[in-house]
Tab-separated table of all heavy atoms in Angstrom:
chain	number	residue	atom	x	y	z
B	192	ALA	N	55.162	37.629	15.000
B	192	ALA	CA	56.324	38.229	14.315
B	192	ALA	C	56.984	37.195	13.408
B	192	ALA	O	57.350	37.505	12.271
B	192	ALA	CB	57.310	38.774	15.341
B	193	GLN	N	57.121	35.957	13.905
B	193	GLN	CA	57.710	34.901	13.074
B	193	GLN	C	56.874	34.637	11.827
B	193	GLN	O	57.408	34.497	10.723
B	193	GLN	CB	57.812	33.582	13.869
B	193	GLN	CG	58.780	33.597	15.012
B	193	GLN	CD	58.547	32.412	15.943
B	193	GLN	OE1	57.837	31.466	15.592
B	193	GLN	NE2	59.124	32.454	17.115
B	194	ILE	N	55.572	34.563	12.026
B	194	ILE	CA	54.683	34.225	10.896
B	194	ILE	C	54.674	35.368	9.867
B	194	ILE	O	54.679	35.124	8.667
B	194	ILE	CB	53.244	33.923	11.411
B	194	ILE	CG1	53.255	32.659	12.281
B	194	ILE	CG2	52.267	33.773	10.265
B	194	ILE	CD1	53.541	31.355	11.571
B	195	LEU	N	54.677	36.599	10.348
B	195	LEU	CA	54.696	37.730	9.422
B	195	LEU	C	55.982	37.749	8.606
B	195	LEU	O	55.979	38.000	7.402
B	195	LEU	CB	54.529	39.063	10.180
B	195	LEU	CG	53.160	39.307	10.831
B	195	LEU	CD1	53.163	40.633	11.579
B	195	LEU	CD2	52.039	39.279	9.784
B	196	ARG	N	57.103	37.449	9.270
B	196	ARG	CA	58.394	37.386	8.592
B	196	ARG	C	58.366	36.297	7.512
B	196	ARG	O	58.787	36.507	6.391
B	196	ARG	CB	59.481	37.018	9.625
B	196	ARG	CG	60.529	38.099	9.754
B	196	ARG	CD	61.559	37.722	10.807
B	196	ARG	NE	61.478	38.655	11.915
B	196	ARG	CZ	61.371	38.300	13.191
B	196	ARG	NH1	61.369	37.043	13.557
B	196	ARG	NH2	61.303	39.239	14.099
B	197	LEU	N	57.830	35.157	7.932
B	197	LEU	CA	57.757	34.012	7.010
B	197	LEU	C	56.879	34.305	5.818
B	197	LEU	O	57.261	34.074	4.649
B	197	LEU	CB	57.206	32.812	7.790
B	197	LEU	CG	57.084	31.516	7.042
B	197	LEU	CD1	58.460	30.862	6.951
B	197	LEU	CD2	56.121	30.592	7.760
B	198	LEU	N	55.702	34.849	6.092
B	198	LEU	CA	54.762	35.150	5.010
B	198	LEU	C	55.362	36.150	4.042
B	198	LEU	O	55.285	36.016	2.818
B	198	LEU	CB	53.455	35.690	5.618
B	198	LEU	CG	52.302	35.985	4.666
B	198	LEU	CD1	51.883	34.731	3.925
B	198	LEU	CD2	51.104	36.569	5.430
B	199	SER	N	56.012	37.181	4.604
B	199	SER	CA	56.640	38.214	3.797
B	199	SER	C	57.717	37.597	2.897
B	199	SER	O	57.779	37.900	1.689
B	199	SER	CB	57.242	39.257	4.731
B	199	SER	OG	57.775	40.295	4.003
B	200	ARG	N	58.554	36.742	3.466
B	200	ARG	CA	59.629	36.113	2.699
B	200	ARG	C	59.070	35.216	1.605
B	200	ARG	O	59.511	35.259	0.456
B	200	ARG	CB	60.512	35.295	3.658
B	200	ARG	CG	61.820	34.871	3.043
B	200	ARG	CD	62.523	33.878	3.948
B	200	ARG	NE	61.882	32.577	3.928
B	200	ARG	CZ	61.985	31.672	4.912
B	200	ARG	NH1	62.683	31.955	6.007
B	200	ARG	NH2	61.374	30.512	4.826
B	201	GLU	N	58.056	34.434	1.951
B	201	GLU	CA	57.504	33.467	1.001
B	201	GLU	C	56.854	34.152	-0.201
B	201	GLU	O	57.030	33.728	-1.334
B	201	GLU	CB	56.488	32.554	1.694
B	201	GLU	CG	57.112	31.575	2.663
B	201	GLU	CD	58.052	30.586	1.980
B	201	GLU	OE1	57.649	29.968	0.981
B	201	GLU	OE2	59.194	30.457	2.442
B	202	ILE	N	56.089	35.229	0.071
B	202	ILE	CA	55.437	35.867	-1.076
B	202	ILE	C	56.472	36.612	-1.941
B	202	ILE	O	56.285	36.735	-3.136
B	202	ILE	CB	54.257	36.812	-0.648
B	202	ILE	CG1	54.757	37.907	0.259
B	202	ILE	CG2	53.114	36.044	-0.051
B	202	ILE	CD1	53.677	38.946	0.540
B	203	ASP	N	57.579	37.025	-1.316
B	203	ASP	CA	58.675	37.606	-2.110
B	203	ASP	C	59.298	36.553	-3.011
B	203	ASP	O	59.505	36.770	-4.207
B	203	ASP	CB	59.745	38.208	-1.191
B	203	ASP	CG	59.470	39.660	-0.860
B	203	ASP	OD1	58.534	40.222	-1.450
B	203	ASP	OD2	60.182	40.209	-0.006
B	204	VAL	N	59.626	35.423	-2.415
B	204	VAL	CA	60.287	34.342	-3.135
B	204	VAL	C	59.419	33.833	-4.278
B	204	VAL	O	59.881	33.651	-5.407
B	204	VAL	CB	60.646	33.171	-2.174
B	204	VAL	CG1	61.081	31.933	-2.955
B	204	VAL	CG2	61.741	33.592	-1.214
B	205	HIS	N	58.121	33.635	-4.003
B	205	HIS	CA	57.223	33.079	-5.015
B	205	HIS	C	56.607	34.160	-5.898
B	205	HIS	O	55.764	33.849	-6.741
B	205	HIS	CB	56.122	32.250	-4.334
B	205	HIS	CG	56.635	31.036	-3.631
B	205	HIS	ND1	56.798	29.824	-4.250
B	205	HIS	CD2	57.084	30.861	-2.357
B	205	HIS	CE1	57.291	28.936	-3.384
B	205	HIS	NE2	57.469	29.540	-2.228
B	206	LYS	N	56.951	35.430	-5.648
B	206	LYS	CA	56.407	36.575	-6.407
B	206	LYS	C	54.875	36.590	-6.401
B	206	LYS	O	54.221	36.805	-7.414
B	206	LYS	CB	56.948	36.580	-7.842
B	206	LYS	CG	58.455	36.615	-7.886
B	206	LYS	CD	58.957	37.135	-9.208
B	206	LYS	CE	60.423	37.530	-9.196
B	206	LYS	NZ	61.292	36.738	-8.300
B	207	THR	N	54.342	36.276	-5.237
B	207	THR	CA	52.883	36.210	-5.063
B	207	THR	C	52.363	37.569	-4.593
B	207	THR	O	53.028	38.239	-3.805
B	207	THR	CB	52.543	35.158	-3.979
B	207	THR	OG1	53.341	34.008	-4.216
B	207	THR	CG2	51.089	34.802	-3.992
B	208	ALA	N	51.196	37.949	-5.085
B	208	ALA	CA	50.552	39.150	-4.569
B	208	ALA	C	49.835	38.804	-3.273
B	208	ALA	O	49.468	37.658	-3.047
B	208	ALA	CB	49.560	39.695	-5.593
B	209	LEU	N	49.668	39.822	-2.415
B	209	LEU	CA	49.051	39.568	-1.105
B	209	LEU	C	47.882	40.558	-0.895
B	209	LEU	O	48.033	41.761	-1.089
B	209	LEU	CB	50.089	39.771	-0.013
B	209	LEU	CG	49.591	39.682	1.448
B	209	LEU	CD1	49.217	38.258	1.811
B	209	LEU	CD2	50.659	40.214	2.414
B	210	LEU	N	46.746	39.997	-0.488
B	210	LEU	CA	45.664	40.841	0.030
B	210	LEU	C	45.526	40.480	1.498
B	210	LEU	O	45.092	39.383	1.843
B	210	LEU	CB	44.353	40.596	-0.728
B	210	LEU	CG	43.162	41.443	-0.231
B	210	LEU	CD1	43.401	42.931	-0.442
B	210	LEU	CD2	41.855	41.030	-0.945
B	211	LEU	N	45.993	41.362	2.360
B	211	LEU	CA	46.050	41.090	3.781
B	211	LEU	C	44.895	41.814	4.487
B	211	LEU	O	44.798	43.036	4.473
B	211	LEU	CB	47.382	41.548	4.351
B	211	LEU	CG	47.576	41.387	5.872
B	211	LEU	CD1	47.519	39.918	6.284
B	211	LEU	CD2	48.905	42.000	6.298
Side-chain angles (χ1 to χ4, degrees):
Chain B
Q193 292 166 13
I194 295 292
L195 292 178
R196 242 179 245 129
L197 182 78
L198 184 60
S199 184
R200 193 189 73 203
E201 289 298 309
I202 60 172
D203 270 353
V204 169
H205 295 272
K206 303 202 165 32
T207 316
L209 175 71
L210 180 63
L211 177 63

